[in-house]
Amino acid sequence: MDPLLDFSGKTVLITGAGRGFGKLLAEQVVVRGGNVVLGDVNEQVLQVAEAIERRCCHDLASGRAVAMINDVSKESDCKKLVDCAIEHFGQLDIAVNNAGISHELMPFEMIDADIMDRQFAVNVKGVQQGMKYQLAAMRKQNGGSILNVSSMAGLIGAPRCAGYSAAKHAVIGLTKTAAVEYGKYNVRVNAICPFFSLTDMVTKSGLVQNITLDEAKASLSRGAPLGRLAEPEEIVTMMLMMISPANTYLSGQAIAVDGGKSA
């Protein structure tokens, strides 16, 4: 296998793995020889792990996909997920902090404390608390890679998404700070900033209400030079490249995957 895509023997922790990017990434890692530790607040993640073992490993007893119901807004849950990786596989090579939530579209002046508290509890503290234990494990083993899922809304303004945008900007701040602090321990930390892709988070956010799917795609892709939205698989392809064991010098970066929108 091409070393760029070879995850043989690597243990990859993925939050928000019950659906969307997290689920697709987990499948791709296992196909490429890796082990995965999956967390999600929804119990669906347990079925995802079982399906991965059945489809990718052809053996429900292989143990290469382990899952637990996990709420990243709780620090104890973040610790348990890292502990699970160490207990099952002896190490944690890669962590992907993918779990996140959006909020309904609304004017800035309607964003209240409850919305901000929830955005920061999941999208910011969930990343920070996860990294706290991921970084400690990687420091002890003198190496590792962390990928945080931010958003284009973390790089530019996002009208009517003020709470979400603020939280995703904060994720980039955490990413860059950790990259500077932990580079001496051979730990790389990066963020990926996707443009719109029709995952559940987007379809349930209010962005596509009262219009057809084709109308939503046309509206959301406006301004992107490639003239379309990303397919979830296209975002996951970049995630794979960023966490690849062969990608050893990229750190502290927030990479836009946006069809040219930010250009």
Side-chain angles (χ1 to χ4, degrees), residues 134-146:
Q134 296 156 11
L135 287 166
M138 292 175 182
R139 173 177 53 78
K140 291 176 182 177
Q141 64 195 32
N142 196 38
S145 174
I146 294 174

Side-chain angles (χ1 to χ4, degrees), residues 38-59:
L38 311 178
D40 198 289
V41 72
N42 192 312
E43 67 179 14
Q44 179 180 342
V45 73
L46 304 178
Q47 285 72 52
V48 168
E50 182 178 313
I52 287 174
E53 293 227 319
R54 182 182 293 112
R55 184 169 62 255
C56 302
C57 306
H58 311 293
D59 179 6

Side-chain angles (χ1 to χ4, degrees), residues 200-257:
D200 285 351
M201 180 182 290
V202 172
T203 59
K204 295 178 180 179
S205 69
L207 289 167
V208 299
Q209 289 180 353
N210 303 317
I211 57 176
T212 68
L213 187 59
D214 286 342
E215 289 171 335
K217 289 181 177 179
S219 175
L220 295 176
S221 62
R222 191 175 298 123
L226 288 184
R228 62 178 178 83
L229 301 185
E231 295 296 332
E233 292 81 3
E234 292 178 300
I235 304 301
V236 170
T237 294
M238 179 55 74
M239 295 171 80
L240 278 169
M241 293 173 69
M242 292 180 73
I243 65 173
S244 165
N247 183 356
T248 55
Y249 203 59
L250 181 73
S251 193
Q253 302 305 304
I255 304 298
V257 187

Side-chain angles (χ1 to χ4, degrees), residues 17-153:
R19 58 187 181 181
F21 299 148
K23 175 177 177 289
L24 291 172
L25 180 62
E27 293 170 348
Q28 292 298 317
V29 167
V30 174
V31 164
R32 289 166 171 76
N35 307 311
V36 292
V37 179
L38 311 178
D40 198 289
V41 72
N42 192 312
E43 67 179 14
Q44 179 180 342
V45 73
L46 304 178
Q47 285 72 52
V48 168
E50 182 178 313
I52 287 174
E53 293 227 319
R54 182 182 293 112
R55 184 169 62 255
C56 302
C57 306
H58 311 293
D59 179 6
L60 282 174
S62 74
R64 287 178 52 203
V66 178
M68 66 168 53
I69 299 171
N70 171 267
D71 183 349
V72 297
S73 70
K74 298 177 180 178
E75 183 171 344
S76 60
D77 277 17
C78 294
K79 182 178 186 299
K80 287 176 184 176
L81 203 58
V82 173
D83 289 344
C84 178
I86 304 299
E87 290 167 9
H88 278 269
F89 301 112
Q91 61 189 26
L92 175 61
D93 301 291
I94 300 163
V96 181
N97 294 301
N98 169 69
I101 59 171
S102 58
H103 62 75
E104 291 186 8
L105 298 178
M106 63 187 69
F108 197 112
E109 62 197 68
M110 291 181 63
I111 301 290
D112 61 21
D114 287 342
I115 290 173
M116 293 301 291
D117 287 347
R118 185 63 179 152
Q119 285 295 307
F120 273 72
V122 177
N123 292 342
V124 182
K125 288 176 65 179
V127 172
Q128 177 268 319
Q129 290 169 165
M131 290 175 68
K132 175 178 179 178
Y133 296 100
Q134 296 156 11
L135 287 166
M138 292 175 182
R139 173 177 53 78
K140 291 176 182 177
Q141 64 195 32
N142 196 38
S145 174
I146 294 174
L147 178 64
N148 297 322
V149 179
S150 181
S151 167
M152 280 299 294

